[in-house]
């Protein structure tokens, strides 16, 4: 017999960039909600778009069975931000009204939003409009304010590390410097962790603007000890000291004009600085695809079931989180700092330095 629950029926959606572990989280939420509390579940397609267009369906146990190990999201995702109007779009208020109407027409008691900083921000704003919302943090970037780790990160870290391993052998065979660009948005978590796991010779993250002269001396120093190859791990948001001094608009223009992406720019700068043969590799969406790691499956399942406990208790307006090793929750909020960056005094930066890795700065 189902235990009493404050929530009888809820909607669930995945929004923003996908990541490994989304289906594990959907399964965690749906299984606990259905089996333990007998809640009714409405799956919402393509993030907030599905609420605006009322693209929804009832989820039965067979819908969330056999999905634990699947990559992507069975619900689909989009980057729709209903509170942010863009040229040609309906005014934001109409989208928000459409969401409110769908929520009440479906007689939902709560909405579970699985996503990143943008999704939890939208969740918070919808909660302020009067909806019951529970947030569930996910992203390969690990940059969500309010939680110590996100699922998706560990899987992407494995993929990034394997790529660095593979680049080592080819860089060595050809005595080249290879720059690999990893995702991470404006944060350096993925590059920092994968760089350490893969033994990158240089790690460049957005939080520490790089000086190519420092990188050049480091690579020359390695070469003087017979290491004529190197792997440079750069976060997609990495920037030079010069770029860091520019205002946002100026920097955007400079970056657009200086090559397809940061890896190519850094590879060129290293070549100009040292004369070494360089190559660039952009790992891209490979990092977001495929099966979740065991660690991400566990985290997604724990956070998913914790979200259900909040719903059962009627503790709405919260985002489940990882606090150290404990599953916890925080009040939904609009983060002042849009992303959780790597603190410049983080122990992992010192760890990298301690094993002789150049961080691109003194
Ligand atoms: O937030 C996840 C992420 O994969 C970032 O690492 C990357 O900057 C971005 O999404 C890419 O977004 P899109 O799917 O919109 O191309």
């Amino acid at each position: 017999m189902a235990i009493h629950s404050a929530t009888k029926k809820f909607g669930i959606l995945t929004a923003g960039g996908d990541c490994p572990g989304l289906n594990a989280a959907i399964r965690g939420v749906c299984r606990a909600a259905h089996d333990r509390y007998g809640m009714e579940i409405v799956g919402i397609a393509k993030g907030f778009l599905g609420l605006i267009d009322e693209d929804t369906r009832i989820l039965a146990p067979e819908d969330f069975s056999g999905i634990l190990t699947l990559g992507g999201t069975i619900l689909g995702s989009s980057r729709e931000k209903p509170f942010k109007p863009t040229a040609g779009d309906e005014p934001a208020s109409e989208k928000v009204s459409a969401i409110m109407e769908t929520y009440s027409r479906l007689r939902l008691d709560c909405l579970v939003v699985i996503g990143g900083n943008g999704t939890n921000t939208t969740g918070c704003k919808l909660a302020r409009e009067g909806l019951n919302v529970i947030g569930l943090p996910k992203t390969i970037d690990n940059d969500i304010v309010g939680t110590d780790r996100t699922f998706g990160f560990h899987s992407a870290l494995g993929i990034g590390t394997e790529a660095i391993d593979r680049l080592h052998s080819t860089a060595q065979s050809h005595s080249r410097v290879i720059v690999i660009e990893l995702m991470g948005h404006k944060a350096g978590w993925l590059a920092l962790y994968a760089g350490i796991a893969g033994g990158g010779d240089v790690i460049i993250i957005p939080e520490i603007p790089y000086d190519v002269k420092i990188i050049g001396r480091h690579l020359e120093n390695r070469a003087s000890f017979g290491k004529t190859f190197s792997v440079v791990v750069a976060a997609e948001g990495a920037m030079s000291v010069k770029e860091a001094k520019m205002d946002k608009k100026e920097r955007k223009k400079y970056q657009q004009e200086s090559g397809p992406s940061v890896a190519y720019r850094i590879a060129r700068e290293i070549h100009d600085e040292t004369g070494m043969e360089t190559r660039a590799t952009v790992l891209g969406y490979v990092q977001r695809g495929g099966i979740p790691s065991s660690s991400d499956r566990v985290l997604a399942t724990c956070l998913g079931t914790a979200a259900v406990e909040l719903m059962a208790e009627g503790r709405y307006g919260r985002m489940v989180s990882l606090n150290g090793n404990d599953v916890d929750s925080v009040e939904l909020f609009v983060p002042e700092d849009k992303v959780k960056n790597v603190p410049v005094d983080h122990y992992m930066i010192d760890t990298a330095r301690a094993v002789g890795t150049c961080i691109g700065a003194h």
Side-chain angles (χ1 to χ4, degrees), residues 219-254:
L219 299 180
E220 285 164 358
N221 193 36
R222 270 176 59 77
S224 72
F225 287 104
K227 301 271 191 188
T228 54
F229 70 96
S230 290
V231 175
V232 177
V233 183
E236 65 178 332
M239 61 179 106
S240 63
V241 173
K242 180 176 148 190
E243 286 166 89
K245 287 186 184 142
M246 298 174 183
D247 65 36
K248 223 171 141 188
K249 211 169 141 198
E250 205 184 345
R251 184 159 58 237
K252 199 169 170 197
K253 185 165 176 278
Y254 173 81

PDB file of all heavy atoms in Angstrom, residues 219-254:
ATOM      1  N   LEU A 219      56.906  24.268 -21.860  1.00  0.00           N
ATOM      2  CA  LEU A 219      57.043  23.245 -22.907  1.00  0.00           C
ATOM      3  C   LEU A 219      58.511  23.126 -23.340  1.00  0.00           C
ATOM      4  O   LEU A 219      59.019  22.015 -23.574  1.00  0.00           O
ATOM      5  CB  LEU A 219      56.150  23.579 -24.104  1.00  0.00           C
ATOM      6  CG  LEU A 219      54.644  23.642 -23.789  1.00  0.00           C
ATOM      7  CD1 LEU A 219      53.839  23.972 -25.052  1.00  0.00           C
ATOM      8  CD2 LEU A 219      54.138  22.326 -23.196  1.00  0.00           C
ATOM      9  N   GLU A 220      59.214  24.246 -23.419  1.00  0.00           N
ATOM     10  CA  GLU A 220      60.640  24.216 -23.801  1.00  0.00           C
ATOM     11  C   GLU A 220      61.463  23.512 -22.723  1.00  0.00           C
ATOM     12  O   GLU A 220      62.400  22.773 -23.016  1.00  0.00           O
ATOM     13  CB  GLU A 220      61.144  25.649 -24.028  1.00  0.00           C
ATOM     14  CG  GLU A 220      60.644  26.219 -25.351  1.00  0.00           C
ATOM     15  CD  GLU A 220      60.790  27.728 -25.446  1.00  0.00           C
ATOM     16  OE1 GLU A 220      61.249  28.364 -24.453  1.00  0.00           O
ATOM     17  OE2 GLU A 220      60.421  28.285 -26.493  1.00  0.00           O
ATOM     18  N   ASN A 221      61.066  23.757 -21.492  1.00  0.00           N
ATOM     19  CA  ASN A 221      61.753  23.110 -20.387  1.00  0.00           C
ATOM     20  C   ASN A 221      61.589  21.590 -20.463  1.00  0.00           C
ATOM     21  O   ASN A 221      62.542  20.835 -20.293  1.00  0.00           O
ATOM     22  CB  ASN A 221      61.187  23.672 -19.067  1.00  0.00           C
ATOM     23  CG  ASN A 221      62.046  23.282 -17.895  1.00  0.00           C
ATOM     24  OD1 ASN A 221      63.275  23.222 -18.008  1.00  0.00           O
ATOM     25  ND2 ASN A 221      61.404  22.989 -16.774  1.00  0.00           N
ATOM     26  N   ARG A 222      60.346  21.167 -20.757  1.00  0.00           N
ATOM     27  CA  ARG A 222      60.108  19.726 -20.926  1.00  0.00           C
ATOM     28  C   ARG A 222      60.976  19.178 -22.058  1.00  0.00           C
ATOM     29  O   ARG A 222      61.609  18.134 -21.924  1.00  0.00           O
ATOM     30  CB  ARG A 222      58.629  19.486 -21.294  1.00  0.00           C
ATOM     31  CG  ARG A 222      57.724  19.281 -20.114  1.00  0.00           C
ATOM     32  CD  ARG A 222      56.275  19.148 -20.558  1.00  0.00           C
ATOM     33  NE  ARG A 222      56.021  18.043 -21.494  1.00  0.00           N
ATOM     34  CZ  ARG A 222      55.939  16.761 -21.151  1.00  0.00           C
ATOM     35  NH1 ARG A 222      56.079  16.409 -19.892  1.00  0.00           N
ATOM     36  NH2 ARG A 222      55.698  15.832 -22.059  1.00  0.00           N
ATOM     37  N   ALA A 223      61.009  19.928 -23.159  1.00  0.00           N
ATOM     38  CA  ALA A 223      61.777  19.476 -24.331  1.00  0.00           C
ATOM     39  C   ALA A 223      63.263  19.344 -23.971  1.00  0.00           C
ATOM     40  O   ALA A 223      63.941  18.415 -24.433  1.00  0.00           O
ATOM     41  CB  ALA A 223      61.576  20.446 -25.484  1.00  0.00           C
ATOM     42  N   SER A 224      63.754  20.249 -23.105  1.00  0.00           N
ATOM     43  CA  SER A 224      65.173  20.196 -22.746  1.00  0.00           C
ATOM     44  C   SER A 224      65.494  18.931 -21.924  1.00  0.00           C
ATOM     45  O   SER A 224      66.635  18.533 -21.802  1.00  0.00           O
ATOM     46  CB  SER A 224      65.592  21.463 -21.989  1.00  0.00           C
ATOM     47  OG  SER A 224      65.041  21.426 -20.698  1.00  0.00           O
ATOM     48  N   PHE A 225      64.436  18.317 -21.359  1.00  0.00           N
ATOM     49  CA  PHE A 225      64.634  17.048 -20.647  1.00  0.00           C
ATOM     50  C   PHE A 225      64.260  15.846 -21.530  1.00  0.00           C
ATOM     51  O   PHE A 225      64.029  14.746 -21.050  1.00  0.00           O
ATOM     52  CB  PHE A 225      63.783  17.019 -19.361  1.00  0.00           C
ATOM     53  CG  PHE A 225      64.343  17.916 -18.286  1.00  0.00           C
ATOM     54  CD1 PHE A 225      63.757  19.144 -18.008  1.00  0.00           C
ATOM     55  CD2 PHE A 225      65.480  17.526 -17.573  1.00  0.00           C
ATOM     56  CE1 PHE A 225      64.272  19.967 -17.029  1.00  0.00           C
ATOM     57  CE2 PHE A 225      65.995  18.365 -16.585  1.00  0.00           C
ATOM     58  CZ  PHE A 225      65.404  19.591 -16.313  1.00  0.00           C
ATOM     59  N   GLY A 226      64.145  16.082 -22.814  1.00  0.00           N
ATOM     60  CA  GLY A 226      63.866  14.997 -23.760  1.00  0.00           C
ATOM     61  C   GLY A 226      62.393  14.740 -24.020  1.00  0.00           C
ATOM     62  O   GLY A 226      62.045  13.859 -24.795  1.00  0.00           O
ATOM     63  N   LYS A 227      61.527  15.512 -23.358  1.00  0.00           N
ATOM     64  CA  LYS A 227      60.079  15.318 -23.579  1.00  0.00           C
ATOM     65  C   LYS A 227      59.665  16.267 -24.715  1.00  0.00           C
ATOM     66  O   LYS A 227      59.257  17.413 -24.467  1.00  0.00           O
ATOM     67  CB  LYS A 227      59.288  15.656 -22.316  1.00  0.00           C
ATOM     68  CG  LYS A 227      59.692  14.817 -21.114  1.00  0.00           C
ATOM     69  CD  LYS A 227      58.880  13.545 -21.066  1.00  0.00           C
ATOM     70  CE  LYS A 227      59.097  12.856 -19.734  1.00  0.00           C
ATOM     71  NZ  LYS A 227      58.483  11.535 -19.688  1.00  0.00           N
ATOM     72  N   THR A 228      59.797  15.771 -25.917  1.00  0.00           N
ATOM     73  CA  THR A 228      59.559  16.654 -27.068  1.00  0.00           C
ATOM     74  C   THR A 228      58.087  16.691 -27.477  1.00  0.00           C
ATOM     75  O   THR A 228      57.745  17.201 -28.531  1.00  0.00           O
ATOM     76  CB  THR A 228      60.416  16.194 -28.264  1.00  0.00           C
ATOM     77  OG1 THR A 228      60.128  14.806 -28.481  1.00  0.00           O
ATOM     78  CG2 THR A 228      61.894  16.388 -27.994  1.00  0.00           C
ATOM     79  N   PHE A 229      57.229  16.105 -26.668  1.00  0.00           N
ATOM     80  CA  PHE A 229      55.781  16.154 -26.944  1.00  0.00           C
ATOM     81  C   PHE A 229      55.090  16.662 -25.683  1.00  0.00           C
ATOM     82  O   PHE A 229      55.645  16.552 -24.580  1.00  0.00           O
ATOM     83  CB  PHE A 229      55.251  14.749 -27.275  1.00  0.00           C
ATOM     84  CG  PHE A 229      55.245  13.862 -26.059  1.00  0.00           C
ATOM     85  CD1 PHE A 229      54.095  13.708 -25.296  1.00  0.00           C
ATOM     86  CD2 PHE A 229      56.408  13.228 -25.640  1.00  0.00           C
ATOM     87  CE1 PHE A 229      54.095  12.922 -24.148  1.00  0.00           C
ATOM     88  CE2 PHE A 229      56.413  12.443 -24.488  1.00  0.00           C
ATOM     89  CZ  PHE A 229      55.256  12.287 -23.749  1.00  0.00           C
ATOM     90  N   SER A 230      53.897  17.202 -25.873  1.00  0.00           N
ATOM     91  CA  SER A 230      53.116  17.641 -24.703  1.00  0.00           C
ATOM     92  C   SER A 230      51.637  17.628 -25.039  1.00  0.00           C
ATOM     93  O   SER A 230      51.254  17.818 -26.200  1.00  0.00           O
ATOM     94  CB  SER A 230      53.501  19.074 -24.297  1.00  0.00           C
ATOM     95  OG  SER A 230      54.799  19.096 -23.755  1.00  0.00           O
ATOM     96  N   VAL A 231      50.816  17.428 -24.010  1.00  0.00           N
ATOM     97  CA  VAL A 231      49.369  17.553 -24.178  1.00  0.00           C
ATOM     98  C   VAL A 231      48.895  18.720 -23.314  1.00  0.00           C
ATOM     99  O   VAL A 231      49.193  18.790 -22.118  1.00  0.00           O
ATOM    100  CB  VAL A 231      48.634  16.250 -23.790  1.00  0.00           C
ATOM    101  CG1 VAL A 231      47.116  16.449 -23.864  1.00  0.00           C
ATOM    102  CG2 VAL A 231      49.050  15.106 -24.711  1.00  0.00           C
ATOM    103  N   VAL A 232      48.223  19.642 -23.973  1.00  0.00           N
ATOM    104  CA  VAL A 232      47.691  20.825 -23.294  1.00  0.00           C
ATOM    105  C   VAL A 232      46.175  20.661 -23.205  1.00  0.00           C
ATOM    106  O   VAL A 232      45.507  20.480 -24.225  1.00  0.00           O
ATOM    107  CB  VAL A 232      48.031  22.112 -24.097  1.00  0.00           C
ATOM    108  CG1 VAL A 232      47.411  23.347 -23.442  1.00  0.00           C
ATOM    109  CG2 VAL A 232      49.545  22.269 -24.244  1.00  0.00           C
ATOM    110  N   VAL A 233      45.631  20.702 -21.993  1.00  0.00           N
ATOM    111  CA  VAL A 233      44.187  20.523 -21.798  1.00  0.00           C
ATOM    112  C   VAL A 233      43.570  21.905 -21.552  1.00  0.00           C
ATOM    113  O   VAL A 233      43.894  22.576 -20.564  1.00  0.00           O
ATOM    114  CB  VAL A 233      43.902  19.599 -20.593  1.00  0.00           C
ATOM    115  CG1 VAL A 233      42.405  19.366 -20.437  1.00  0.00           C
ATOM    116  CG2 VAL A 233      44.643  18.268 -20.751  1.00  0.00           C
ATOM    117  N   ALA A 234      42.707  22.333 -22.456  1.00  0.00           N
ATOM    118  CA  ALA A 234      42.111  23.671 -22.322  1.00  0.00           C
ATOM    119  C   ALA A 234      40.597  23.564 -22.162  1.00  0.00           C
ATOM    120  O   ALA A 234      39.932  22.826 -22.895  1.00  0.00           O
ATOM    121  CB  ALA A 234      42.435  24.507 -23.555  1.00  0.00           C
ATOM    122  N   ALA A 235      40.060  24.291 -21.213  1.00  0.00           N
ATOM    123  CA  ALA A 235      38.603  24.376 -21.060  1.00  0.00           C
ATOM    124  C   ALA A 235      38.071  25.267 -22.178  1.00  0.00           C
ATOM    125  O   ALA A 235      38.742  26.221 -22.580  1.00  0.00           O
ATOM    126  CB  ALA A 235      38.268  24.988 -19.704  1.00  0.00           C
ATOM    127  N   GLU A 236      36.848  24.987 -22.637  1.00  0.00           N
ATOM    128  CA  GLU A 236      36.305  25.794 -23.745  1.00  0.00           C
ATOM    129  C   GLU A 236      36.209  27.279 -23.389  1.00  0.00           C
ATOM    130  O   GLU A 236      36.242  28.141 -24.260  1.00  0.00           O
ATOM    131  CB  GLU A 236      34.932  25.267 -24.181  1.00  0.00           C
ATOM    132  CG  GLU A 236      33.847  25.390 -23.123  1.00  0.00           C
ATOM    133  CD  GLU A 236      32.479  24.897 -23.604  1.00  0.00           C
ATOM    134  OE1 GLU A 236      32.194  24.943 -24.800  1.00  0.00           O
ATOM    135  OE2 GLU A 236      31.694  24.462 -22.749  1.00  0.00           O
ATOM    136  N   GLY A 237      36.112  27.589 -22.104  1.00  0.00           N
ATOM    137  CA  GLY A 237      35.995  28.992 -21.697  1.00  0.00           C
ATOM    138  C   GLY A 237      37.333  29.641 -21.369  1.00  0.00           C
ATOM    139  O   GLY A 237      37.365  30.769 -20.851  1.00  0.00           O
ATOM    140  N   ALA A 238      38.442  28.947 -21.659  1.00  0.00           N
ATOM    141  CA  ALA A 238      39.765  29.490 -21.307  1.00  0.00           C
ATOM    142  C   ALA A 238      40.014  30.829 -22.000  1.00  0.00           C
ATOM    143  O   ALA A 238      39.553  31.054 -23.114  1.00  0.00           O
ATOM    144  CB  ALA A 238      40.847  28.491 -21.719  1.00  0.00           C
ATOM    145  N   MET A 239      40.727  31.699 -21.331  1.00  0.00           N
ATOM    146  CA  MET A 239      41.070  32.991 -21.950  1.00  0.00           C
ATOM    147  C   MET A 239      42.455  33.438 -21.510  1.00  0.00           C
ATOM    148  O   MET A 239      42.935  33.082 -20.426  1.00  0.00           O
ATOM    149  CB  MET A 239      40.028  34.051 -21.636  1.00  0.00           C
ATOM    150  CG  MET A 239      39.847  34.355 -20.182  1.00  0.00           C
ATOM    151  SD  MET A 239      38.622  35.644 -19.972  1.00  0.00           S
ATOM    152  CE  MET A 239      37.244  34.687 -19.365  1.00  0.00           C
ATOM    153  N   SER A 240      43.063  34.231 -22.375  1.00  0.00           N
ATOM    154  CA  SER A 240      44.401  34.741 -22.072  1.00  0.00           C
ATOM    155  C   SER A 240      44.288  35.931 -21.124  1.00  0.00           C
ATOM    156  O   SER A 240      43.198  36.487 -20.926  1.00  0.00           O
ATOM    157  CB  SER A 240      45.080  35.180 -23.367  1.00  0.00           C
ATOM    158  OG  SER A 240      44.329  36.244 -23.919  1.00  0.00           O
ATOM    159  N   VAL A 241      45.428  36.342 -20.601  1.00  0.00           N
ATOM    160  CA  VAL A 241      45.463  37.515 -19.728  1.00  0.00           C
ATOM    161  C   VAL A 241      44.930  38.729 -20.506  1.00  0.00           C
ATOM    162  O   VAL A 241      44.146  39.527 -19.972  1.00  0.00           O
ATOM    163  CB  VAL A 241      46.920  37.767 -19.240  1.00  0.00           C
ATOM    164  CG1 VAL A 241      47.024  39.075 -18.472  1.00  0.00           C
ATOM    165  CG2 VAL A 241      47.398  36.597 -18.380  1.00  0.00           C
ATOM    166  N   LYS A 242      45.316  38.812 -21.781  1.00  0.00           N
ATOM    167  CA  LYS A 242      44.870  39.936 -22.627  1.00  0.00           C
ATOM    168  C   LYS A 242      43.336  39.935 -22.753  1.00  0.00           C
ATOM    169  O   LYS A 242      42.692  40.970 -22.573  1.00  0.00           O
ATOM    170  CB  LYS A 242      45.524  39.769 -24.005  1.00  0.00           C
ATOM    171  CG  LYS A 242      45.191  40.824 -25.017  1.00  0.00           C
ATOM    172  CD  LYS A 242      45.997  40.564 -26.295  1.00  0.00           C
ATOM    173  CE  LYS A 242      45.219  41.005 -27.510  1.00  0.00           C
ATOM    174  NZ  LYS A 242      45.831  40.586 -28.757  1.00  0.00           N
ATOM    175  N   GLU A 243      42.753  38.759 -23.015  1.00  0.00           N
ATOM    176  CA  GLU A 243      41.287  38.672 -23.149  1.00  0.00           C
ATOM    177  C   GLU A 243      40.583  39.006 -21.836  1.00  0.00           C
ATOM    178  O   GLU A 243      39.509  39.615 -21.829  1.00  0.00           O
ATOM    179  CB  GLU A 243      40.870  37.259 -23.551  1.00  0.00           C
ATOM    180  CG  GLU A 243      41.146  36.902 -24.982  1.00  0.00           C
ATOM    181  CD  GLU A 243      41.013  35.410 -25.177  1.00  0.00           C
ATOM    182  OE1 GLU A 243      39.905  34.948 -25.460  1.00  0.00           O
ATOM    183  OE2 GLU A 243      42.021  34.686 -25.005  1.00  0.00           O
ATOM    184  N   ALA A 244      41.183  38.556 -20.752  1.00  0.00           N
ATOM    185  CA  ALA A 244      40.554  38.775 -19.439  1.00  0.00           C
ATOM    186  C   ALA A 244      40.402  40.263 -19.144  1.00  0.00           C
ATOM    187  O   ALA A 244      39.505  40.671 -18.404  1.00  0.00           O
ATOM    188  CB  ALA A 244      41.364  38.092 -18.355  1.00  0.00           C
ATOM    189  N   LYS A 245      41.302  41.068 -19.752  1.00  0.00           N
ATOM    190  CA  LYS A 245      41.242  42.525 -19.496  1.00  0.00           C
ATOM    191  C   LYS A 245      40.186  43.215 -20.365  1.00  0.00           C
ATOM    192  O   LYS A 245      39.855  44.369 -20.145  1.00  0.00           O
ATOM    193  CB  LYS A 245      42.617  43.145 -19.780  1.00  0.00           C
ATOM    194  CG  LYS A 245      43.639  42.788 -18.704  1.00  0.00           C
ATOM    195  CD  LYS A 245      44.947  43.517 -18.924  1.00  0.00           C
ATOM    196  CE  LYS A 245      45.964  43.051 -17.894  1.00  0.00           C
ATOM    197  NZ  LYS A 245      47.313  42.936 -18.456  1.00  0.00           N
ATOM    198  N   MET A 246      39.688  42.509 -21.391  1.00  0.00           N
ATOM    199  CA  MET A 246      38.705  43.132 -22.297  1.00  0.00           C
ATOM    200  C   MET A 246      37.321  43.119 -21.664  1.00  0.00           C
ATOM    201  O   MET A 246      37.032  42.265 -20.819  1.00  0.00           O
ATOM    202  CB  MET A 246      38.620  42.325 -23.607  1.00  0.00           C
ATOM    203  CG  MET A 246      39.898  42.286 -24.386  1.00  0.00           C
ATOM    204  SD  MET A 246      39.679  41.165 -25.802  1.00  0.00           S
ATOM    205  CE  MET A 246      41.330  41.209 -26.492  1.00  0.00           C
ATOM    206  N   ASP A 247      36.444  44.049 -22.131  1.00  0.00           N
ATOM    207  CA  ASP A 247      35.068  43.929 -21.646  1.00  0.00           C
ATOM    208  C   ASP A 247      34.387  42.821 -22.457  1.00  0.00           C
ATOM    209  O   ASP A 247      34.914  42.356 -23.471  1.00  0.00           O
ATOM    210  CB  ASP A 247      34.311  45.262 -21.678  1.00  0.00           C
ATOM    211  CG  ASP A 247      34.109  45.792 -23.075  1.00  0.00           C
ATOM    212  OD1 ASP A 247      33.906  44.982 -23.988  1.00  0.00           O
ATOM    213  OD2 ASP A 247      34.170  47.033 -23.259  1.00  0.00           O
ATOM    214  N   LYS A 248      33.201  42.413 -22.007  1.00  0.00           N
ATOM    215  CA  LYS A 248      32.531  41.228 -22.554  1.00  0.00           C
ATOM    216  C   LYS A 248      32.360  41.298 -24.077  1.00  0.00           C
ATOM    217  O   LYS A 248      32.666  40.351 -24.812  1.00  0.00           O
ATOM    218  CB  LYS A 248      31.145  41.120 -21.897  1.00  0.00           C
ATOM    219  CG  LYS A 248      30.795  39.716 -21.483  1.00  0.00           C
ATOM    220  CD  LYS A 248      29.536  39.751 -20.648  1.00  0.00           C
ATOM    221  CE  LYS A 248      28.647  38.580 -20.961  1.00  0.00           C
ATOM    222  NZ  LYS A 248      27.350  38.617 -20.343  1.00  0.00           N
ATOM    223  N   LYS A 249      31.928  42.484 -24.551  1.00  0.00           N
ATOM    224  CA  LYS A 249      31.630  42.662 -25.982  1.00  0.00           C
ATOM    225  C   LYS A 249      32.904  42.558 -26.817  1.00  0.00           C
ATOM    226  O   LYS A 249      32.957  41.862 -27.829  1.00  0.00           O
ATOM    227  CB  LYS A 249      30.992  44.049 -26.156  1.00  0.00           C
ATOM    228  CG  LYS A 249      30.003  44.102 -27.282  1.00  0.00           C
ATOM    229  CD  LYS A 249      29.220  45.394 -27.222  1.00  0.00           C
ATOM    230  CE  LYS A 249      29.014  45.884 -28.654  1.00  0.00           C
ATOM    231  NZ  LYS A 249      28.654  47.289 -28.689  1.00  0.00           N
ATOM    232  N   GLU A 250      33.931  43.250 -26.318  1.00  0.00           N
ATOM    233  CA  GLU A 250      35.223  43.272 -27.008  1.00  0.00           C
ATOM    234  C   GLU A 250      35.797  41.849 -27.086  1.00  0.00           C
ATOM    235  O   GLU A 250      36.306  41.406 -28.113  1.00  0.00           O
ATOM    236  CB  GLU A 250      36.147  44.151 -26.158  1.00  0.00           C
ATOM    237  CG  GLU A 250      37.288  44.814 -26.891  1.00  0.00           C
ATOM    238  CD  GLU A 250      38.173  45.569 -25.886  1.00  0.00           C
ATOM    239  OE1 GLU A 250      37.741  45.796 -24.718  1.00  0.00           O
ATOM    240  OE2 GLU A 250      39.284  45.907 -26.274  1.00  0.00           O
ATOM    241  N   ARG A 251      35.682  41.130 -25.951  1.00  0.00           N
ATOM    242  CA  ARG A 251      36.219  39.762 -25.888  1.00  0.00           C
ATOM    243  C   ARG A 251      35.493  38.839 -26.866  1.00  0.00           C
ATOM    244  O   ARG A 251      36.111  38.052 -27.573  1.00  0.00           O
ATOM    245  CB  ARG A 251      36.083  39.225 -24.456  1.00  0.00           C
ATOM    246  CG  ARG A 251      36.718  37.847 -24.291  1.00  0.00           C
ATOM    247  CD  ARG A 251      37.040  37.522 -22.862  1.00  0.00           C
ATOM    248  NE  ARG A 251      35.881  37.562 -21.998  1.00  0.00           N
ATOM    249  CZ  ARG A 251      35.762  38.310 -20.924  1.00  0.00           C
ATOM    250  NH1 ARG A 251      36.750  39.104 -20.559  1.00  0.00           N
ATOM    251  NH2 ARG A 251      34.669  38.286 -20.189  1.00  0.00           N
ATOM    252  N   LYS A 252      34.173  38.970 -26.948  1.00  0.00           N
ATOM    253  CA  LYS A 252      33.382  38.132 -27.840  1.00  0.00           C
ATOM    254  C   LYS A 252      33.843  38.356 -29.285  1.00  0.00           C
ATOM    255  O   LYS A 252      34.069  37.396 -30.038  1.00  0.00           O
ATOM    256  CB  LYS A 252      31.903  38.491 -27.683  1.00  0.00           C
ATOM    257  CG  LYS A 252      30.993  37.410 -28.201  1.00  0.00           C
ATOM    258  CD  LYS A 252      29.564  37.648 -27.796  1.00  0.00           C
ATOM    259  CE  LYS A 252      28.675  36.671 -28.551  1.00  0.00           C
ATOM    260  NZ  LYS A 252      27.296  37.066 -28.548  1.00  0.00           N
ATOM    261  N   LYS A 253      34.023  39.623 -29.633  1.00  0.00           N
ATOM    262  CA  LYS A 253      34.440  39.967 -31.007  1.00  0.00           C
ATOM    263  C   LYS A 253      35.819  39.370 -31.284  1.00  0.00           C
ATOM    264  O   LYS A 253      36.040  38.728 -32.311  1.00  0.00           O
ATOM    265  CB  LYS A 253      34.467  41.502 -31.128  1.00  0.00           C
ATOM    266  CG  LYS A 253      34.764  42.011 -32.511  1.00  0.00           C
ATOM    267  CD  LYS A 253      34.418  43.503 -32.617  1.00  0.00           C
ATOM    268  CE  LYS A 253      34.804  44.043 -33.976  1.00  0.00           C
ATOM    269  NZ  LYS A 253      36.227  44.394 -34.087  1.00  0.00           N
ATOM    270  N   TYR A 254      36.724  39.562 -30.335  1.00  0.00           N
ATOM    271  CA  TYR A 254      38.095  39.059 -30.488  1.00  0.00           C
ATOM    272  C   TYR A 254      38.082  37.542 -30.685  1.00  0.00           C
ATOM    273  O   TYR A 254      38.750  37.003 -31.565  1.00  0.00           O
ATOM    274  CB  TYR A 254      38.909  39.438 -29.243  1.00  0.00           C
ATOM    275  CG  TYR A 254      40.291  38.823 -29.204  1.00  0.00           C
ATOM    276  CD1 TYR A 254      41.345  39.396 -29.912  1.00  0.00           C
ATOM    277  CD2 TYR A 254      40.539  37.660 -28.458  1.00  0.00           C
ATOM    278  CE1 TYR A 254      42.616  38.818 -29.895  1.00  0.00           C
ATOM    279  CE2 TYR A 254      41.787  37.082 -28.429  1.00  0.00           C
ATOM    280  CZ  TYR A 254      42.825  37.670 -29.142  1.00  0.00           C
ATOM    281  OH  TYR A 254      44.075  37.081 -29.121  1.00  0.00           O
TER     282      TYR A 254
END
